[in-house]
Amino acid sequence: MSTIIKNGLVVLEEKSLIADLKIVDQKIVEIKENISATENDKVIDAIGKIVLPGVIDAHVHFNLNFGDCYTADDFVSGSKSASYGGTTTYIDFASPIREKTLLESLEKRLAEAGRDSYLDYTVHMEVTGWSSKNYQELKKIKEAGINSIKFYTTYGDTKVSVEQFADLFKTASELDLVLMIHAENDQILSEKKEQLIAQGKTQIKYHAVSRPLEAEVESIKTMINLANQFGTNLYIAHVSTEEGAKLIKEARKSNKKIMGETCPHYFILNDSLIELEDGAKYTMSPPLRKKANNQPLLNILAADGLQCVSTDHCSFDLQTKFAADHFYQLKCGVAGVETLLRTTYTYGVHNNKFDLIKLSNLLSTNPAKIFNLYPRKGVIKVGSDADIVIYDPKPELLLNERDLHSRCGYSIFNGIKLKGVVEYTILRGKILVDQGKFIATKKEGIFIKSQI
Ligand code: URP
Ligand code: ZN
Protein backbone atom coordinates (compact mmCIF):
# COMPACT_ATOMS: atom_id res chain seq x y z
CA MET A 1 0.00 0.00 0.00
CA SER A 2 1.12 3.50 -0.70
CA THR A 3 0.08 6.85 0.70
CA ILE A 4 -0.65 9.73 -1.66
CA ILE A 5 -0.88 13.31 -0.45
CA LYS A 6 -2.90 15.19 -3.05
CA ASN A 7 -2.93 18.81 -4.21
CA GLY A 8 -0.92 20.36 -1.38
CA LEU A 9 1.54 23.20 -1.70
CA VAL A 10 4.67 21.08 -1.55
CA VAL A 11 7.79 22.85 -0.27
CA LEU A 12 10.87 21.51 -2.03
CA GLU A 13 14.44 22.70 -1.52
CA GLU A 14 14.39 25.37 -4.22
CA LYS A 15 10.71 25.95 -4.92
CA SER A 16 7.15 25.33 -3.78
CA LEU A 17 4.54 23.86 -6.12
CA ILE A 18 1.07 22.40 -6.07
CA ALA A 19 1.61 18.68 -6.54
CA ASP A 20 0.89 15.19 -5.30
CA LEU A 21 3.40 13.22 -3.29
CA LYS A 22 3.57 9.44 -3.15
CA ILE A 23 5.03 7.41 -0.30
CA VAL A 24 5.95 3.73 -0.51
CA ASP A 25 7.87 1.72 2.10
CA GLN A 26 8.86 4.69 4.26
CA LYS A 27 10.26 6.69 1.35
CA ILE A 28 9.10 9.47 -0.95
CA VAL A 29 8.90 7.86 -4.39
CA GLU A 30 7.18 10.44 -6.57
CA ILE A 31 6.34 14.16 -6.58
CA LYS A 32 4.24 15.40 -9.50
CA GLU A 33 0.77 16.50 -10.54
CA ASN A 34 -2.07 14.00 -10.77
CA ILE A 35 -0.60 10.85 -9.31
CA SER A 36 -3.28 8.23 -9.73
CA ALA A 37 -4.38 6.25 -6.73
CA THR A 38 -5.70 2.71 -6.55
CA GLU A 39 -8.35 1.64 -4.09
CA ASN A 40 -5.64 0.19 -1.84
CA ASP A 41 -3.89 3.52 -1.47
CA LYS A 42 -4.38 5.84 1.45
CA VAL A 43 -5.19 9.28 0.01
CA ILE A 44 -4.80 12.48 2.03
CA ASP A 45 -6.47 15.56 0.59
CA ALA A 46 -4.08 18.48 1.14
CA ILE A 47 -5.90 21.11 -0.87
CA GLY A 48 -5.20 24.53 0.68
CA LYS A 49 -2.55 23.01 2.94
CA ILE A 50 1.23 23.29 3.04
CA VAL A 51 3.30 20.13 2.74
CA LEU A 52 6.65 20.58 4.49
CA PRO A 53 9.52 18.28 5.41
CA GLY A 54 9.15 17.04 8.99
CA VAL A 55 10.74 19.43 11.43
CA ILE A 56 14.16 18.55 12.84
CA ASP A 57 14.53 20.05 16.30
CA ALA A 58 18.30 20.21 16.72
CA HIS A 59 18.27 21.05 20.42
CA VAL A 60 16.10 19.25 22.98
CA HIS A 61 16.64 17.94 26.49
CA PHE A 62 14.32 15.05 27.32
CA ASN A 63 14.66 13.27 30.65
CA LEU A 64 17.49 15.53 31.68
CA ASN A 65 18.87 15.11 35.17
CA PHE A 66 19.26 18.62 36.57
CA GLY A 67 20.78 18.55 40.03
CA ASP A 68 18.13 17.09 42.31
CA CYS A 69 15.42 16.57 39.69
CA TYR A 70 14.57 15.54 36.16
CA THR A 71 12.85 17.51 33.43
CA ALA A 72 9.09 17.07 33.25
CA ASP A 73 9.27 15.46 29.81
CA ASP A 74 11.00 12.17 29.24
CA PHE A 75 11.48 10.68 25.78
CA VAL A 76 7.90 9.38 25.71
CA SER A 77 6.07 12.61 26.51
CA GLY A 78 8.69 14.77 24.82
CA SER A 79 8.58 12.95 21.51
CA LYS A 80 4.79 12.73 21.62
CA SER A 81 4.45 16.43 22.28
CA ALA A 82 6.97 17.17 19.50
CA SER A 83 5.06 15.05 17.01
CA TYR A 84 1.89 17.07 17.67
CA GLY A 85 3.96 20.06 16.58
CA GLY A 86 5.19 18.60 13.29
CA THR A 87 8.60 17.41 14.41
CA THR A 88 9.77 14.05 13.08
CA THR A 89 13.41 13.99 14.21
CA TYR A 90 15.11 15.60 17.19
CA ILE A 91 18.63 15.87 18.51
CA ASP A 92 18.99 15.36 22.24
CA PHE A 93 22.21 15.13 24.26
CA ALA A 94 24.29 12.33 25.75
CA SER A 95 25.96 13.53 28.94
CA PRO A 96 29.15 11.87 30.13
CA ILE A 97 28.48 9.51 33.03
CA ARG A 98 31.13 9.32 35.75
CA GLU A 99 33.14 6.08 35.71
CA LYS A 100 31.97 5.35 32.16
CA THR A 101 33.64 6.08 28.85
CA LEU A 102 32.03 8.55 26.48
CA LEU A 103 31.04 5.66 24.26
CA GLU A 104 29.33 3.82 27.13
CA SER A 105 27.55 7.03 28.12
CA LEU A 106 26.42 7.49 24.53
CA GLU A 107 25.16 3.94 24.21
CA LYS A 108 23.14 4.25 27.41
CA ARG A 109 21.46 7.43 26.19
CA LEU A 110 20.71 5.99 22.76
CA ALA A 111 19.21 2.89 24.35
CA GLU A 112 16.90 5.06 26.45
CA ALA A 113 15.70 6.99 23.43
CA GLY A 114 15.38 3.76 21.44
CA ARG A 115 13.05 2.34 24.06
CA ASP A 116 10.88 5.41 24.52
CA SER A 117 10.80 7.59 21.40
CA TYR A 118 7.94 7.99 18.96
CA LEU A 119 10.22 10.01 16.71
CA ASP A 120 13.58 9.47 15.05
CA TYR A 121 16.53 10.89 16.93
CA THR A 122 20.21 11.35 17.36
CA VAL A 123 22.25 13.13 20.03
CA HIS A 124 25.05 15.60 20.46
CA MET A 125 27.78 14.12 22.66
CA GLU A 126 28.45 16.44 25.55
CA VAL A 127 31.95 16.98 26.82
CA THR A 128 32.31 18.40 30.32
CA GLY A 129 35.20 19.86 32.25
CA TRP A 130 35.77 16.61 34.09
CA SER A 131 35.00 14.02 31.43
CA SER A 132 37.67 12.46 29.29
CA LYS A 133 38.00 14.37 26.09
CA ASN A 134 40.87 12.63 24.46
CA TYR A 135 41.06 12.15 20.77
CA GLN A 136 40.56 8.37 20.82
CA GLU A 137 37.33 8.55 22.81
CA LEU A 138 35.83 11.15 20.52
CA LYS A 139 36.97 9.20 17.48
CA LYS A 140 34.85 6.28 18.73
CA ILE A 141 31.89 8.62 19.16
CA LYS A 142 32.28 9.72 15.58
CA GLU A 143 32.53 6.09 14.40
CA ALA A 144 29.31 5.33 16.30
CA GLY A 145 27.50 7.75 13.99
CA ILE A 146 27.56 10.96 16.02
CA ASN A 147 28.39 14.14 14.19
CA SER A 148 28.57 16.75 16.93
CA ILE A 149 29.93 17.44 20.38
CA LYS A 150 28.73 20.08 22.76
CA PHE A 151 30.32 21.93 25.60
CA TYR A 152 29.10 24.53 28.06
CA THR A 153 31.14 27.61 28.92
CA THR A 154 29.26 27.89 32.21
CA TYR A 155 27.29 25.70 34.72
CA GLY A 156 29.45 24.52 37.64
CA ASP A 157 31.60 21.48 37.00
CA THR A 158 29.77 20.74 33.77
CA LYS A 159 31.55 23.66 32.19
CA VAL A 160 34.71 23.39 30.15
CA SER A 161 37.36 25.82 31.37
CA VAL A 162 38.98 28.45 29.18
CA GLU A 163 42.25 26.45 29.19
CA GLN A 164 40.45 23.48 27.61
CA PHE A 165 38.82 25.39 24.75
CA ALA A 166 41.65 25.24 22.22
CA ASP A 167 42.15 21.52 22.68
CA LEU A 168 38.50 20.83 21.96
CA PHE A 169 38.40 23.08 18.92
CA LYS A 170 41.46 21.31 17.54
CA THR A 171 40.09 17.83 18.20
CA ALA A 172 36.68 18.67 16.72
CA SER A 173 38.38 20.04 13.64
CA GLU A 174 40.62 17.01 13.18
CA LEU A 175 37.70 14.61 13.59
CA ASP A 176 35.40 16.76 11.47
CA LEU A 177 32.84 17.01 14.26
CA VAL A 178 30.53 19.99 14.63
CA LEU A 179 31.30 21.79 17.87
CA MET A 180 28.09 23.05 19.47
CA ILE A 181 28.58 25.54 22.26
CA HIS A 182 26.51 27.09 25.02
CA ALA A 183 28.21 30.48 24.86
CA GLU A 184 27.99 32.67 27.96
CA ASN A 185 31.23 34.00 29.43
CA ASP A 186 31.48 32.39 32.86
CA GLN A 187 33.61 35.10 34.40
CA ILE A 188 31.13 37.83 33.48
CA LEU A 189 28.30 35.71 34.88
CA SER A 190 30.15 35.00 38.13
CA GLU A 191 31.04 38.64 38.68
CA LYS A 192 27.49 39.75 37.99
CA LYS A 193 26.08 37.17 40.36
CA GLU A 194 28.43 38.24 43.18
CA GLN A 195 27.58 41.89 42.55
CA LEU A 196 23.83 41.24 42.72
CA ILE A 197 24.17 39.16 45.87
CA ALA A 198 26.21 41.93 47.49
CA GLN A 199 23.41 44.37 46.61
CA GLY A 200 20.74 42.04 47.99
CA LYS A 201 19.21 41.69 44.53
CA THR A 202 18.63 37.98 44.49
CA GLN A 203 14.93 37.70 43.66
CA ILE A 204 13.78 35.82 40.58
CA LYS A 205 13.19 39.09 38.74
CA TYR A 206 17.00 39.54 38.56
CA HIS A 207 17.42 36.40 36.44
CA ALA A 208 17.90 38.30 33.16
CA VAL A 209 20.04 40.99 34.80
CA SER A 210 22.28 38.25 36.19
CA ARG A 211 23.05 36.98 32.67
CA PRO A 212 23.79 40.15 30.70
CA LEU A 213 24.06 40.18 26.95
CA GLU A 214 27.78 41.04 27.22
CA ALA A 215 28.35 37.51 28.54
CA GLU A 216 26.89 36.03 25.35
CA VAL A 217 28.61 38.49 23.04
CA GLU A 218 32.03 38.07 24.66
CA SER A 219 31.78 34.30 24.54
CA ILE A 220 30.62 34.20 20.91
CA LYS A 221 33.58 36.42 19.94
CA THR A 222 36.00 34.02 21.64
CA MET A 223 34.43 30.99 19.96
CA ILE A 224 34.49 32.55 16.52
CA ASN A 225 38.19 33.38 16.91
CA LEU A 226 38.97 29.82 17.94
CA ALA A 227 36.91 28.36 15.11
CA ASN A 228 38.74 30.54 12.61
CA GLN A 229 42.09 29.54 14.10
CA PHE A 230 41.46 25.79 14.05
CA GLY A 231 39.11 25.48 11.08
CA THR A 232 36.36 24.01 13.28
CA ASN A 233 32.69 23.69 12.36
CA LEU A 234 31.19 25.89 15.05
CA TYR A 235 27.50 25.91 15.99
CA ILE A 236 26.45 28.44 18.64
CA ALA A 237 23.40 27.18 20.53
CA HIS A 238 20.40 29.34 21.40
CA VAL A 239 21.69 32.76 20.30
CA SER A 240 19.51 35.22 22.21
CA THR A 241 20.79 38.64 21.15
CA GLU A 242 20.91 40.72 18.03
CA GLU A 243 24.53 41.50 18.91
CA GLY A 244 25.50 37.82 19.10
CA ALA A 245 23.67 36.98 15.87
CA LYS A 246 25.39 39.89 14.10
CA LEU A 247 28.79 38.49 15.05
CA ILE A 248 27.88 35.16 13.46
CA LYS A 249 26.45 36.83 10.36
CA GLU A 250 29.62 38.89 9.97
CA ALA A 251 31.93 35.91 10.57
CA ARG A 252 30.12 33.89 7.90
CA LYS A 253 31.16 36.36 5.23
CA SER A 254 34.59 34.74 5.29
CA ASN A 255 33.88 31.42 7.01
CA LYS A 256 30.73 29.41 6.39
CA LYS A 257 31.77 26.89 9.04
CA ILE A 258 30.49 29.33 11.64
CA MET A 259 26.83 28.74 12.35
CA GLY A 260 24.19 29.45 14.94
CA GLU A 261 20.64 28.79 16.02
CA THR A 262 18.05 30.76 17.88
CA CYS A 263 14.79 29.72 19.54
CA PRO A 264 11.28 31.19 19.11
CA HIS A 265 11.18 32.61 22.63
CA TYR A 266 14.08 34.94 21.81
CA PHE A 267 12.29 36.58 18.88
CA ILE A 268 8.78 36.55 20.38
CA LEU A 269 9.03 37.18 24.14
CA ASN A 270 10.94 39.64 26.29
CA ASP A 271 12.39 40.02 29.78
CA SER A 272 9.44 42.02 31.19
CA LEU A 273 7.76 38.63 31.74
CA ILE A 274 10.33 37.75 34.39
CA GLU A 275 9.15 40.75 36.44
CA LEU A 276 5.69 39.19 36.80
CA GLU A 277 4.64 37.38 39.92
CA ASP A 278 4.97 34.09 38.06
CA GLY A 279 8.20 35.25 36.37
CA ALA A 280 10.01 32.00 37.18
CA LYS A 281 8.00 30.38 34.38
CA TYR A 282 9.91 32.43 31.84
CA THR A 283 13.44 31.56 32.89
CA MET A 284 16.00 29.89 30.72
CA SER A 285 19.62 30.58 29.95
CA PRO A 286 20.53 32.69 28.14
CA PRO A 287 17.55 34.71 29.40
CA LEU A 288 14.83 36.55 27.54
CA ARG A 289 16.10 39.93 26.35
CA LYS A 290 14.61 43.39 25.81
CA LYS A 291 11.58 43.76 23.52
CA ALA A 292 13.70 45.83 21.14
CA ASN A 293 15.76 42.69 20.50
CA ASN A 294 12.89 40.65 18.97
CA GLN A 295 12.58 42.15 15.49
CA PRO A 296 16.32 42.59 14.80
CA LEU A 297 16.92 38.97 15.76
CA LEU A 298 14.18 37.84 13.40
CA ASN A 299 15.61 40.06 10.66
CA ILE A 300 19.05 38.50 11.05
CA LEU A 301 17.47 35.06 10.91
CA ALA A 302 15.71 36.04 7.70
CA ALA A 303 19.00 37.33 6.30
CA ASP A 304 20.88 34.04 6.81
CA GLY A 305 22.76 35.32 9.85
CA LEU A 306 21.58 32.26 11.78
CA GLN A 307 20.95 28.85 10.24
CA CYS A 308 18.41 27.05 12.44
CA VAL A 309 15.51 27.59 14.77
CA SER A 310 15.34 24.98 17.50
CA THR A 311 13.61 24.86 20.87
CA ASP A 312 16.12 24.07 23.63
CA HIS A 313 13.13 22.20 25.07
CA CYS A 314 13.98 21.68 28.74
CA SER A 315 10.70 21.46 30.59
CA PHE A 316 10.10 21.77 34.31
CA ASP A 317 6.72 21.72 36.01
CA LEU A 318 5.50 24.78 37.87
CA GLN A 319 6.21 23.35 41.29
CA THR A 320 9.85 22.96 40.30
CA LYS A 321 10.01 26.38 38.68
CA PHE A 322 8.44 28.12 41.67
CA ALA A 323 10.60 26.28 44.23
CA ALA A 324 13.46 28.75 43.73
CA ASP A 325 13.67 31.73 46.10
CA HIS A 326 16.72 33.29 44.44
CA PHE A 327 17.66 33.65 40.76
CA TYR A 328 20.71 31.41 41.19
CA GLN A 329 18.51 28.54 42.41
CA LEU A 330 16.29 28.49 39.34
CA LYS A 331 15.87 25.40 37.23
CA CYS A 332 16.47 27.08 33.92
CA GLY A 333 14.72 25.85 30.81
CA VAL A 334 11.29 25.91 29.17
CA ALA A 335 9.13 23.71 26.96
CA GLY A 336 8.85 24.40 23.23
CA VAL A 337 8.82 21.30 21.02
CA GLU A 338 5.13 21.45 20.29
CA THR A 339 5.06 25.11 19.28
CA LEU A 340 8.25 25.34 17.19
CA LEU A 341 6.65 25.17 13.75
CA ARG A 342 3.56 27.21 14.60
CA THR A 343 5.51 30.05 16.22
CA THR A 344 8.17 30.17 13.51
CA TYR A 345 5.55 30.02 10.75
CA THR A 346 3.53 32.82 12.37
CA TYR A 347 6.37 35.20 13.16
CA GLY A 348 8.40 34.34 10.08
CA VAL A 349 6.11 33.49 7.16
CA HIS A 350 2.78 34.95 8.18
CA ASN A 351 4.45 38.21 9.27
CA ASN A 352 6.27 38.36 5.92
CA LYS A 353 9.77 38.06 7.29
CA PHE A 354 10.61 35.06 5.11
CA ASP A 355 9.02 32.56 2.74
CA LEU A 356 8.13 28.89 3.04
CA ILE A 357 11.41 27.73 1.56
CA LYS A 358 13.30 29.66 4.18
CA LEU A 359 11.02 28.22 6.87
CA SER A 360 11.78 24.74 5.62
CA ASN A 361 15.51 25.52 5.55
CA LEU A 362 15.55 26.85 9.09
CA LEU A 363 13.50 24.03 10.58
CA SER A 364 14.48 21.03 8.48
CA THR A 365 17.05 21.26 5.69
CA ASN A 366 19.72 23.27 7.49
CA PRO A 367 19.75 21.15 10.66
CA ALA A 368 19.79 18.03 8.48
CA LYS A 369 22.77 19.32 6.51
CA ILE A 370 24.68 20.69 9.49
CA PHE A 371 24.29 17.51 11.53
CA ASN A 372 24.76 15.15 8.59
CA LEU A 373 21.27 13.69 8.38
CA TYR A 374 20.70 15.00 4.87
CA PRO A 375 19.42 13.89 2.33
CA ARG A 376 17.78 11.07 4.24
CA LYS A 377 16.17 13.71 6.47
CA GLY A 378 15.24 17.37 6.17
CA VAL A 379 13.97 17.55 2.61
CA ILE A 380 11.07 16.55 0.40
CA LYS A 381 12.85 14.68 -2.35
CA VAL A 382 12.46 11.35 -4.12
CA GLY A 383 14.46 8.81 -2.12
CA SER A 384 14.33 10.69 1.17
CA ASP A 385 12.52 9.36 4.24
CA ALA A 386 8.83 10.20 4.04
CA ASP A 387 8.94 12.58 7.02
CA ILE A 388 6.19 15.05 6.26
CA VAL A 389 4.11 17.63 8.04
CA ILE A 390 0.88 18.91 6.57
CA TYR A 391 0.15 22.38 7.83
CA ASP A 392 -3.15 24.20 7.56
CA PRO A 393 -2.23 27.91 7.44
CA LYS A 394 -5.81 29.21 7.71
CA PRO A 395 -6.86 28.98 11.38
CA GLU A 396 -5.94 31.89 13.58
CA LEU A 397 -6.04 30.83 17.20
CA LEU A 398 -4.92 32.05 20.57
CA LEU A 399 -2.60 29.41 21.93
CA ASN A 400 -4.12 27.68 24.92
CA GLU A 401 -1.50 25.90 27.00
CA ARG A 402 -4.12 23.35 28.05
CA ASP A 403 -4.19 22.08 24.47
CA LEU A 404 -0.50 21.15 24.59
CA HIS A 405 0.98 17.86 25.69
CA SER A 406 4.19 18.57 27.59
CA ARG A 407 4.10 17.20 31.11
CA CYS A 408 5.27 20.57 32.40
CA GLY A 409 1.64 21.74 32.17
CA TYR A 410 2.17 25.26 30.87
CA SER A 411 3.53 27.20 27.90
CA ILE A 412 5.47 30.44 27.85
CA PHE A 413 3.52 31.22 24.66
CA ASN A 414 0.11 30.88 26.28
CA GLY A 415 -2.34 33.40 24.84
CA ILE A 416 -0.32 34.48 21.81
CA LYS A 417 -2.04 34.54 18.43
CA LEU A 418 -0.82 31.82 16.08
CA LYS A 419 -1.61 31.32 12.42
CA GLY A 420 -2.05 27.74 11.34
CA VAL A 421 -2.19 24.28 12.85
CA VAL A 422 -0.45 20.97 12.26
CA GLU A 423 -2.87 18.54 10.64
CA TYR A 424 -0.65 15.56 9.91
CA THR A 425 2.75 14.44 11.09
CA ILE A 426 4.12 11.52 9.11
CA LEU A 427 7.29 9.68 10.09
CA ARG A 428 8.85 7.38 7.48
CA GLY A 429 5.43 7.01 5.87
CA LYS A 430 3.60 6.26 9.09
CA ILE A 431 0.93 8.70 10.25
CA LEU A 432 1.58 9.75 13.84
CA VAL A 433 -0.78 12.71 13.93
CA ASP A 434 -3.96 12.41 11.87
CA GLN A 435 -6.08 15.55 11.52
CA GLY A 436 -4.57 16.88 14.71
CA LYS A 437 -5.06 13.64 16.66
CA PHE A 438 -2.15 11.56 17.90
CA ILE A 439 -2.76 8.00 16.67
CA ALA A 440 0.62 6.29 17.05
CA THR A 441 0.47 3.26 19.28
CA LYS A 442 4.08 2.13 19.15
CA LYS A 443 7.30 3.94 19.96
CA GLU A 444 9.06 3.24 16.71
CA GLY A 445 11.59 6.06 16.57
CA ILE A 446 15.04 4.98 15.43
CA PHE A 447 18.56 6.30 15.83
CA ILE A 448 19.63 8.13 12.68
CA LYS A 449 23.35 7.79 12.24
CA SER A 450 25.38 10.54 10.71
CA GLN A 451 25.15 10.02 6.93
CA ILE A 452 28.76 9.21 6.08
O1 URP B 1 17.99 27.08 30.33
C1 URP B 1 18.33 26.23 29.53
N1 URP B 1 18.65 26.59 28.33
N2 URP B 1 18.36 24.95 29.89
C2 URP B 1 18.80 23.89 29.10
C3 URP B 1 20.27 23.70 29.12
C4 URP B 1 20.96 24.62 28.15
O2 URP B 1 21.61 25.54 28.61
O3 URP B 1 20.84 24.42 26.96
ZN1 ZN C 1 19.99 23.33 25.80
Side-chain angles (χ1 to χ4, degrees):
M1 189 192 89
S2 54
T3 302
I4 301 173
I5 301 169
K6 289 201 82 69
N7 296 312
L9 178 61
V10 183
V11 183
L12 306 177
E13 247 185 304
E14 308 289 343
K15 62 177 179 185
S16 310
L17 76 171
I18 303 286
D20 298 349
L21 186 154
K22 184 171 180 177
I23 299 167
V24 178
D25 290 340
Q26 307 193 12
K27 298 282 181 192
I28 299 167
V29 296
E30 210 172 10
I31 306 159
K32 63 171 195 179
E33 281 179 30
N34 297 321
I35 297 176
S36 48
T38 69
E39 60 187 33
N40 289 329
D41 293 331
K42 158 103 185 152
V43 175
I44 299 174
D45 175 13
I47 226 163
K49 315 283 163 68
I50 304 166
V51 181
L52 289 155
V55 171
I56 299 177
D57 191 338
H59 186 156
V60 310
H61 303 271
F62 295 150
N63 205 31
L64 174 70
N65 181 210
F66 213 80
D68 54 352
C69 72
Y70 278 82
T71 50
D73 286 311
D74 57 14
F75 284 94
V76 179
S77 64
S79 64
K80 183 173 176 179
S81 177
S83 67
Y84 271 110
T87 294
T88 48
T89 302
Y90 59 86
I91 315 184
D92 198 278
F93 296 84
S95 305
I97 301 170
R98 287 188 197 266
E99 316 301 335
K100 289 196 188 293
T101 64
L102 291 186
L103 189 60
E104 287 166 343
S105 307
L106 169 71
E107 283 167 350
K108 190 161 183 292
R109 190 66 170 168
L110 290 178
E112 191 185 350
R115 188 191 61 209
D116 289 345
S117 182
Y118 287 103
L119 299 178
D120 288 353
Y121 56 88
T122 180
V123 298
H124 308 286
M125 184 75 226
E126 286 179 348
V127 175
T128 61
W130 56 266
S131 64
S132 168
K133 56 188 185 319
N134 73 46
Y135 189 91
Q136 289 309 326
E137 274 221 61
L138 287 170
K139 193 159 179 276
K140 286 187 191 146
I141 296 299
K142 170 99 182 175
E143 286 161 4
I146 299 302
N147 175 252
S148 48
I149 53 177
K150 180 184 189 189
F151 76 73
Y152 296 82
T153 56
T154 186
Y155 290 155
D157 76 345
T158 297
K159 78 167 184 291
V160 158
S161 64
V162 178
E163 297 73 42
Q164 296 171 302
F165 289 173
D167 196 26
L168 277 166
F169 272 81
K170 186 164 177 283
T171 304
S173 174
E174 285 171 6
L175 292 174
D176 198 21
L177 287 161
V178 177
L179 188 53
M180 181 186 205
I181 293 176
H182 176 122
E184 284 184 291
N185 182 295
D186 193 56
Q187 199 186 335
I188 297 179
L189 296 186
S190 303
E191 285 170 8
K192 196 72 201 175
K193 178 178 165 188
E194 293 314 315
Q195 193 190 85
L196 289 169
I197 291 173
Q199 294 168 347
K201 296 177 175 172
T202 63
Q203 299 94 309
I204 302 306
K205 66 179 177 185
Y206 291 106
H207 166 67
V209 181
S210 76
R211 307 187 88 93
L213 71 85
E214 294 78 31
E216 177 171 277
V217 169
E218 202 44 51
S219 186
I220 292 178
K221 272 187 200 160
T222 307
M223 300 309 154
I224 289 175
N225 286 340
L226 285 161
N228 282 333
Q229 185 183 340
F230 291 102
T232 316
N233 286 301
L234 172 67
Y235 184 86
I236 304 287
H238 44 48
V239 178
S240 65
T241 60
E242 175 194 6
E243 291 81 352
K246 261 188 186 162
L247 290 172
I248 295 169
K249 183 167 183 258
E250 194 55 34
R252 285 178 59 78
K253 287 183 182 160
S254 56
N255 184 0
K256 288 283 188 284
K257 288 182 161 187
I258 290 167
M259 300 163 282
E261 67 174 17
T262 189
C263 312
H265 41 267
Y266 296 123
F267 57 78
I268 298 176
L269 306 179
N270 67 76
D271 63 0
S272 66
L273 292 163
I274 309 168
E275 310 259 330
L276 302 175
E277 206 183 332
D278 62 353
K281 280 161 71 172
Y282 304 95
T283 53
M284 75 294 294
S285 54
L288 296 175
R289 305 295 183 181
K290 298 278 168 239
K291 193 170 191 305
N293 183 65
N294 294 151
Q295 288 306 312
L297 191 60
L298 202 50
N299 291 340
I300 293 176
L301 190 64
D304 288 331
L306 298 169
Q307 288 58 58
C308 303
V309 183
S310 69
T311 61
D312 192 11
H313 183 95
C314 185
S315 60
F316 294 102
D317 60 24
L318 288 176
Q319 200 187 343
T320 307
K321 286 304 244 186
F322 293 147
D325 292 320
H326 307 286
F327 69 78
Y328 48 81
Q329 296 169 335
L330 280 160
K331 295 282 188 275
C332 280
V334 294
V337 282
E338 196 164 340
T339 44
L340 174 59
L341 173 56
R342 291 178 73 197
T343 49
T344 311
Y345 175 86
T346 304
Y347 283 79
V349 180
H350 179 63
N351 288 353
N352 290 317
K353 291 286 180 185
F354 47 77
D355 64 10
L356 286 170
I357 294 168
K358 179 83 189 171
L359 177 79
S360 161
N361 275 321
L362 290 169
L363 295 180
S364 304
T365 317
N366 289 351
K369 285 183 174 168
I370 292 168
F371 298 108
N372 247 340
L373 309 173
Y374 179 92
R376 177 171 182 185
K377 300 289 187 189
V379 63
I380 295 185
K381 197 179 190 148
V382 170
S384 294
D385 278 2
D387 295 349
I388 309 282
V389 45
I390 303 180
Y391 195 74
D392 182 352
K394 289 182 292 302
E396 186 166 81
L397 298 166
L398 297 186
L399 182 78
N400 186 338
E401 61 193 5
R402 285 189 305 241
D403 294 336
L404 302 180
H405 302 84
S406 165
R407 284 192 193 138
C408 75
Y410 79 99
S411 168
I412 53 172
F413 300 111
N414 191 42
I416 69 168
K417 199 187 282 175
L418 293 178
K419 192 80 176 131
V421 292
V422 171
E423 279 222 323
Y424 287 87
T425 303
I426 301 173
L427 173 68
R428 285 180 282 108
K430 193 153 187 180
I431 299 174
L432 304 184
V433 174
D434 186 337
Q435 294 172 81
K437 234 178 102 197
F438 186 79
I439 60 161
T441 50
K442 291 190 190 140
K443 301 171 200 102
E444 292 179 318
I446 56 170
F447 169 43
I448 305 297
K449 282 189 177 194
S450 179
Q451 301 289 294
I452 30 168

